[in-house]
Amino acid sequence: MKLTINKKTYDIPAQWQDASLLTVLRDLLGLTGTKFGCGKGLCGACTIHLNGAAARACVLPAQAVSGARITTIEGLATPKQLHPVQQAWIEQSVPQCGYCQAGQIMTAAAFLETNQSPSAEDVANAMNGNLCRCGTYPRIRKGVLRAAELAREAV
């Protein structure tokens, strides 16, 4: 089986094909930016992009995503430029402990692909499924709104 992750194709050995995508990313491929949180797809720490949409890697069997376009936090930026969400996170000092932030960023980036001018309510609704133990929700919302501004400025 082959997986395309961050525009690179990987051959996945047979013994890993029944594992979750999260396990393959972290334990086989060393892409540890995607975090394990609840293991049930509820907290959002393991959020990746699957064909451009936010998806929870902990509940996705690796074999089910063969042929899909997968992006992890490691593949969001380019070598020369941060993604607007990553830049906004820095500007707004969003993270506290940082554990959930890769999932927050990946959720926000996918959301902004479909809504370039969100309201505060839109952002709150889009980010509602991602948990933050530190309670940085106000900074996360500000970060998403700032990322939308940065993305519009870049056009």
Side-chain angles (χ1 to χ4, degrees):
M1 173 180 78
K2 294 183 185 299
L3 293 180
T4 303
I5 304 165
N6 302 329
K7 300 179 182 175
K8 183 177 176 185
T9 301
Y10 297 87
D11 287 312
I12 307 303
Q15 64 267 31
W16 289 86
Q17 294 178 19
D18 289 330
S20 71
L21 177 59
L22 178 63
T23 299
V24 169
L25 291 171
R26 292 182 58 79
D27 298 346
L28 177 64
L29 303 178
L31 296 170
T32 57
T34 305
K35 304 296 184 202
F36 177 86
C38 66
K40 303 215 182 273
L42 303 172
C43 73
C46 67
T47 303
I48 51 94
H49 292 175
L50 184 63
N51 295 325
R56 306 297 166 91
C58 73
V59 294
L60 286 172
Q63 60 188 337
V65 297
S66 181
R69 191 178 74 253
I70 301 162
T71 305
T72 67
I73 190 73
E74 291 91 346
L76 196 58
T78 67
K80 294 183 180 189
Q81 187 172 14
L82 291 175
H83 187 279
V85 176
Q86 293 168 314
Q87 183 62 45
W89 251 234
I90 293 168
E91 288 180 15
Q92 299 296 314
S93 299
V94 172
Q96 186 164 318
C97 85
Y99 195 82
C100 70
Q101 295 305 310
Q104 301 279 0
I105 289 168
M106 295 304 285
T107 298
F111 164 65
L112 291 175
E113 285 296 319
T114 62
N115 188 340
Q116 290 84 32
S117 297
S119 68
E121 184 178 353
D122 293 336
V123 171
N125 290 333
M127 301 304 294
N128 192 34
N130 285 67
L131 302 179
C132 174
R133 292 178 182 167
C134 300
T136 63
Y137 300 113
R139 293 195 312 247
I140 290 167
R141 290 182 194 117
K142 285 181 187 177
V144 176
L145 290 170
R146 176 63 181 140
E149 290 173 6
L150 290 171
R152 287 191 305 269
E153 291 170 4
V155 174

